[in-house]
């Protein structure tokens, strides 16, 4: 019994992190109609910058309990890199999809070497921070409290994002711009500013996701390209552009991985693609996606 | 000529104007002739770079039938490179069959066997969904090759032994083989497959594909069997990819899962856009430029990804028509000026 709880919690923790990155991908796709391959870079960037920030906080003599807020702040701060990146992407908004994909692919390559230059080729870890919060008893299993905190943070971010998009004035403007850019411009919306803000928020979701994961796993240069395919899997399963879909997709991917690791480790990654292909064949718009032409 | 700006001005330079022009064939033949003459004056090192170029050019000619002519962007085309590469590996090191002609036949057969069901599922979608589905299949392949250690050698890959060409064995070291007989063999394949592709894109079938790209609905009203044509294009492009993969594996001497990772598929798209997907010669120019550029950058700095990524960004932003688009633009300007 406890084995299963352990497995499910591991899967949900993974899902909580992947959800953040996938939510960023969905937001940008929903509004700008761009599939951003560089979302993996933002994730890795958040992870590296988070480690640097925690090291800085430790050097200042702050207690290790501040790790989580420091990581959150670091993720939000480095997420501002979305502003200049959006300026670059602006050149291809009205272009062919292949060009948009290639531009973000180019960004992915550039970022990978920028991180290699700044933080070196060997993976970095942040292991002592993990223990700062101790462990907690959950349904008869001892789990690191940090994992539970991250799951809670991810749920809070998801709820906050949903409320923001559905209930606030700015959220309505964003959704209107996503629906019809020309019409909302005609009604006085500055769509350039909306796009810049949306992309930056999308970027921040990725960087925060990366920052939150470092106490549990190392920051490495490969994490960017590895996460891209996982985030892709999540949005395909859930449906492109749908936030609810990102949540469901992240849970499915996280749990499948957790089960596969225990039952058949060879099929860990394989099982995800099998589900992706099955979804694309049976329900190409994804579980929560709108039907498309 | 009228309408000189077509190639330059559209976002994705459309082959419609370029494809039917004979200049594409001439440019191809000029490059082939230059490659045939190259061993007489170029260094051995340059020649070892050219064989991967032939392999990639073949794969990209097929890729561009799908991308440039049919309008379907595959983000998992490296899958076919791996099918060719692993066919060569299984044939030479597991079964002990060294005849390169047989290896090619097996690569072609394996590509067709995989391309038909995968293509059948993929070509029902277009645009970003086609790209994502092909990406998923490519990564499915990668994880099979990577994780099932017993059959595929896992991340170590499988060795690819030196094959026999026309049943003949060659003396000398590996480099002598690759820059001598195998060089001309691969160049011969590129020439034959390039001429075949020239026939394909100018045939009624090729024109159907271009009609589908411009307007699939209209094409289907006019009696074009859209799905069947797309599937045929996918299978043909897969076969070209498989042949390219077999050649590539022999030059490397190894088939490993890296060849099918999604970034490799991204590189294929990079090469296609670098050369200019709007022109028949684009894939050949693009793969040559990519191989030379990558080699040059890698010899200068360990941060070659940065440079390649920056080149890609500049290319997409400023020269979406690729190298052949730039050349075409200069050509029309020159013609107007004289």
């Amino acid at each position: 019994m406890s084995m299963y709880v352990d497995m499910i919690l591991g899967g949900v923790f993974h899902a909580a992190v992947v959800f953040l990155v996938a939510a960023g991908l969905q937001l940008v796709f929903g509004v700008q109609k761009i599939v951003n391959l560089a979302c993996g870079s933002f994730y890795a960037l958040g992870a590296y910058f988070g480690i640097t920030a925690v090291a800085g906080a430790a050097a200042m003599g702050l207690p290790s309990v501040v790790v989580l807020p420091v990581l959150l702040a670091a993720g939000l701060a480095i997420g501002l890199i979305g502003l200049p990146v959006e300026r670059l992407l602006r050149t291809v908004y009205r272009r062919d999809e292949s060009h948009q994909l290639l531009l973000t692919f180019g960004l992915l390559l550039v970022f990978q070497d920028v991180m290699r230059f700044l933080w070196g080729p060997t993976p970095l870890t942040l292991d002592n921070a993990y223990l700062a919060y101790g462990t907690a008893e959950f349904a008869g299993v001892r789990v690191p409290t940090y994992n539970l905190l991250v799951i809670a943070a991810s749920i809070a971010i998801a709820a906050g994002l949903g409320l923001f998009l559905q209930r606030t004035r700015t959220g309505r403007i964003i959704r209107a711009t996503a629906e019809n850019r020309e019409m909302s411009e005609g009604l006085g919306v500055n769509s350039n500013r909306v796009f810049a803000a949306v992309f930056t928020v999308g970027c921040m979701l990725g960087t925060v996701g990366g920052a939150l994961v470092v106490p549990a796993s190392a920051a490495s240069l490969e994490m960017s390209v590895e996460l891209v395919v996982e985030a892709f899997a999540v949005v395909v399963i859930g449906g492109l552009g749908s936030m609810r879909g990102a949540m469901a997709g992240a849970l499915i991917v996280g749990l499948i991985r957790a089960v596969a690791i225990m039952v058949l480790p060879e099929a860990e990654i394989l099982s995800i693609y099998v589900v992706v292909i099955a979804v694309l064949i049976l329900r190409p718009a994804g579980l929560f996606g709108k039907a498309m032409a | 000529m009228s309408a000189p700006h077509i190639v330059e001005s559209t976002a994705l330079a459309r082959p419609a104007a370029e494809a039917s022009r004979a200049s594409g064939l001439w440019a191809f033949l000029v490059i082939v002739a230059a490659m045939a003459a190259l061993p007489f004056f170029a260094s051995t090192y340059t020649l070892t770079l050219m064989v991967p170029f032939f392999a990639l050019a073949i794969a990209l000619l097929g890729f561009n039938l799908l991308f440039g002519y049919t309008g379907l962007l595959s983000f998992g085309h490296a899958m076919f490179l791996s099918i060719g590469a692993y066919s060569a590996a299984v044939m030479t090191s597991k079964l002990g069959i060294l005849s390169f002609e047989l290896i090619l036949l097996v690569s072609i057969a394996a590509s067709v066997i995989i391309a038909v069901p995968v293509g059948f599922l993929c070509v029902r979608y277009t645009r970003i969904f086609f790209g994502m589905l092909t990406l998923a299949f490519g990564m499915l392949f990668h994880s099979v090759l990577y994780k099932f250690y017993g059959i595929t050698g896992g991340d170590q890959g499988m060795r690819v032994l030196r094959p026999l060409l026309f049943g003949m064995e060659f003396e000398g070291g590996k480099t002598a083989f690759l820059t001598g007989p195998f060089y001309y063999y691969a160049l011969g394949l590129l020439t034959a497959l390039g001429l075949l592709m020239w026939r394909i894109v100018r045939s009624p079938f090729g024109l159907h594909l271009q009609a589908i790209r411009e307007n699939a609905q209209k094409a289907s009203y006019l009696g074009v069997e859209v799905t069947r044509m797309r599937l045929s294009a996918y299978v043909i492009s897969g076969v070209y990819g498989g042949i390219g993969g077999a050649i590539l594996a022999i030059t490397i001497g190894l088939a490993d899962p890296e060849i099918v990772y999604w970034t490799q598929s991204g590189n294929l798209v990079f090469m296609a856009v670098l050369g200019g997907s709007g022109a028949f010669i684009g894939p050949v120019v693009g793969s040559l430029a990519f191989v030379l550029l990558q080699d040059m950058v890698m010899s200068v700095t360990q941060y070659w990804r940065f440079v390649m990524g920056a080149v890609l960004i500049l290319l997409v932003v400023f020269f979406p028509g690729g190298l052949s688009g730039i050349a075409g633009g200069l050509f029309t300007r020159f013609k107007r000026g004289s």
Side-chain angles (χ1 to χ4, degrees), chain A residues 95 97 99 102-103 105-106 108 110 113 116-117 225-226 229 232 236 266 270 273 277 280-281 284 292, chain B residues 11 121 125 127 129 132-133 135 137 139 143-144 147 261-262 273 303-306 310 312-313 316-317:
Chain A
R95 293 259 209 95
E97 271 152 357
H99 289 160
L102 274 178
L103 186 64
F105 181 59
L108 186 86
V110 166
D113 264 1
R116 184 196 302 270
F117 178 73
V225 287
E226 278 164 14
V229 283
F232 254 55
V236 169
E266 285 86 10
L270 191 71
Y273 298 121
I277 289 165
L280 272 170
I281 290 163
M292 46 94 208
Chain B
L121 294 171
Y125 308 109
R127 304 172 68 84
F129 287 90
M132 287 186 142
L133 194 50
L135 180 104
F137 273 110
M139 289 307 291
S143 51
V144 169
K147 289 281 183 174
Y261 203 63
W262 73 269
V273 173
Y303 298 106
W304 58 272
R305 280 191 192 85
F306 182 89
L312 180 54
I313 291 169
V316 169
V317 173

Side-chain angles (χ1 to χ4, degrees), chain B residues 9 13 37 40 57 75 94 115 132 159 174 188 190 193 195 208 224 228 233 235 238 253 278 284 302 306 311 333-334:
Chain B
S9 58
F40 295 104
F75 228 79
K94 290 246 157 141
M132 287 186 142
R159 269 167 51 76
K174 190 187 174 201
L190 172 61
L193 290 167
L195 292 175
H208 280 180
V224 177
R228 242 182 70 190
V235 174
V284 181
Q302 58 161 322
F306 182 89
V311 167
R333 195 173 300 173
F334 173 74

Side-chain angles (χ1 to χ4, degrees), chain A residues 220-270:
Chain A
S220 68
L221 293 170
E222 285 74 40
M223 69 195 286
S224 52
V225 287
E226 278 164 14
L227 194 90
V228 169
V229 283
E230 209 167 325
F232 254 55
V234 167
V235 301
V236 169
I237 292 172
L240 260 176
S242 153
M243 279 296 160
R244 230 175 295 171
M247 220 179 302
L251 271 177
I252 291 173
V253 167
L255 290 176
I256 287 175
R257 276 191 75 161
V259 173
I261 286 170
M262 230 172 63
V263 182
L264 187 71
E266 285 86 10
E268 179 197 346
I269 308 288
L270 191 71

Side-chain angles (χ1 to χ4, degrees), chain B residues 91-278:
Chain B
M91 291 283 282
T92 56
S93 57
K94 290 246 157 141
L95 304 178
I97 298 169
L98 293 175
S99 158
F100 193 60
E101 290 73 34
L102 280 178
I103 293 173
L104 284 177
L105 282 179
V106 169
S107 300
I108 292 169
S111 300
V112 171
I113 289 168
I114 308 255
V116 169
V118 170
F120 181 76
L121 294 171
C122 291
V123 297
R124 296 187 298 164
Y125 308 109
T126 54
R127 304 172 68 84
I128 196 71
F129 287 90
F130 179 82
M132 287 186 142
L133 194 50
T134 47
L135 180 104
F137 273 110
M139 289 307 291
L140 182 77
F141 240 75
H142 176 263
S143 51
V144 169
L145 294 177
Y146 193 80
K147 289 281 183 174
F148 290 89
Y149 195 88
I151 311 165
T152 63
D155 57 345
Q156 302 287 308
M158 286 163 84
R159 269 167 51 76
V160 181
L161 306 178
R162 180 197 293 188
L164 309 175
L165 307 179
F166 302 118
M168 289 182 287
E169 205 172 337
F170 292 90
E171 301 293 316
K174 190 187 174 201
T175 320
F177 172 73
L178 288 181
T179 56
F182 195 65
Y183 181 94
Y184 280 106
Y185 196 101
L187 180 61
L189 275 175
L190 172 61
T191 313
L193 290 167
L195 292 175
L196 179 65
M197 186 55 76
W198 178 253
R199 289 296 301 268
I200 290 174
V201 298
R202 284 161 64 99
S203 70
F205 167 67
L207 297 175
H208 280 180
L209 296 182
Q210 291 168 53
I212 289 170
R213 182 199 64 214
E214 292 303 324
N215 190 334
Q217 201 173 18
K218 206 183 221 173
S220 89
Y221 288 153
L222 293 172
V224 177
E225 291 181 81
V226 174
T227 312
R228 242 182 70 190
M229 292 295 146
R230 277 183 179 147
L231 179 60
S232 310
Y234 186 81
V235 174
I236 293 171
S237 77
V239 167
Y240 272 67
I243 295 172
I247 299 173
L248 200 60
I250 283 161
T251 48
I252 304 171
L254 185 76
D256 69 0
E258 273 304 295
I259 200 171
V260 62
Y261 203 63
W262 73 269
T263 47
Q264 184 69 27
S265 298
N267 282 339
L268 288 177
V269 188
F270 183 177
M271 290 177 224
V273 173
L274 178 63
S277 59

Side-chain angles (χ1 to χ4, degrees), chain A residues 111-144:
Chain A
F111 272 119
Q112 204 173 348
D113 264 1
V114 168
M115 286 183 280
R116 184 196 302 270
F117 178 73
L118 292 175
W119 286 286
T122 40
L124 300 178
T125 52
L126 196 67
D127 23 45
N128 47 354
Y130 205 40
L131 305 168
Y133 295 91
T135 54
E137 185 99 4
F138 188 93
V141 190
R142 294 209 75 80
V143 286

Side-chain angles (χ1 to χ4, degrees), chain A:
Chain A
M1 175 61 206
S2 66
M3 195 174 75
Y4 293 106
V5 178
D6 207 30
M7 180 184 85
I8 289 169
L9 275 178
V12 173
F13 172 71
H14 191 72
V17 173
V18 176
F19 162 75
L20 291 175
V21 183
L25 198 63
Q26 297 284 43
L27 193 63
V28 171
F29 182 80
V31 178
Q32 270 123 316
K33 314 284 181 271
I34 282 186
V35 174
N36 178 20
L37 289 172
C39 66
S41 305
F42 298 148
Y43 174 72
L45 207 57
Y48 275 110
F49 192 69
I51 288 181
T52 305
V54 169
M60 275 156 56
L62 295 173
S64 55
V65 228
V66 298
V67 165
L68 188 62
V70 165
L71 284 176
L72 274 173
L76 289 174
I78 195 72
L80 288 175
I81 197 150
L83 278 176
V85 172
E86 196 270 342
R87 289 297 301 209
L88 184 62
L89 281 180
R90 210 173 275 180
T91 54
V92 294
Y93 280 161
R94 288 171 198 277
R95 293 259 209 95
D96 196 84
E97 271 152 357
S98 62
H99 289 160
Q100 300 172 347
L101 272 175
L102 274 178
L103 186 64
T104 56
F105 181 59
L107 281 170
L108 186 86
L109 295 174
V110 166
F111 272 119
Q112 204 173 348
D113 264 1
V114 168
M115 286 183 280
R116 184 196 302 270
F117 178 73
L118 292 175
W119 286 286
T122 40
L124 300 178
T125 52
L126 196 67
D127 23 45
N128 47 354
Y130 205 40
L131 305 168
Y133 295 91
T135 54
E137 185 99 4
F138 188 93
V141 190
R142 294 209 75 80
V143 286
T145 315
Y146 182 81
N147 287 12
L148 298 178
L149 289 174
V150 167
I151 292 169
S154 181
I155 292 171
I157 291 172
L161 200 62
L163 282 177
F164 170 71
L165 287 175
Q166 295 298 324
R167 295 292 157 85
T168 64
R169 195 182 137 78
T170 323
R172 288 198 185 96
I173 290 174
I174 289 173
R175 283 188 291 134
T177 314
E179 202 70 43
N180 190 332
R181 183 178 171 179
E182 277 74 27
M183 184 63 91
S184 55
E185 273 174 356
L187 293 169
V189 171
N190 183 345
S191 65
N192 278 341
R193 271 181 57 188
V194 170
F195 279 11
V198 163
F199 191 82
T200 310
V201 171
C203 182
M204 279 174 174
L205 285 165
T207 49
V208 167
L212 290 180
V213 86
V214 275
S217 62
S220 68
L221 293 170
E222 285 74 40
M223 69 195 286
S224 52
V225 287
E226 278 164 14
L227 194 90
V228 169
V229 283
E230 209 167 325
F232 254 55
V234 167
V235 301
V236 169
I237 292 172
L240 260 176
S242 153
M243 279 296 160
R244 230 175 295 171
M247 220 179 302
L251 271 177
I252 291 173
V253 167
L255 290 176
I256 287 175
R257 276 191 75 161
V259 173
I261 286 170
M262 230 172 63
V263 182
L264 187 71
E266 285 86 10
E268 179 197 346
I269 308 288
L270 191 71
S271 54
I272 296 175
Y273 298 121
V274 171
V275 174
V276 167
I277 289 165
V279 167
L280 272 170
I281 290 163
L282 299 173
R283 218 184 129 74
L287 299 177
F288 290 90
K290 281 181 225 157
M292 46 94 208

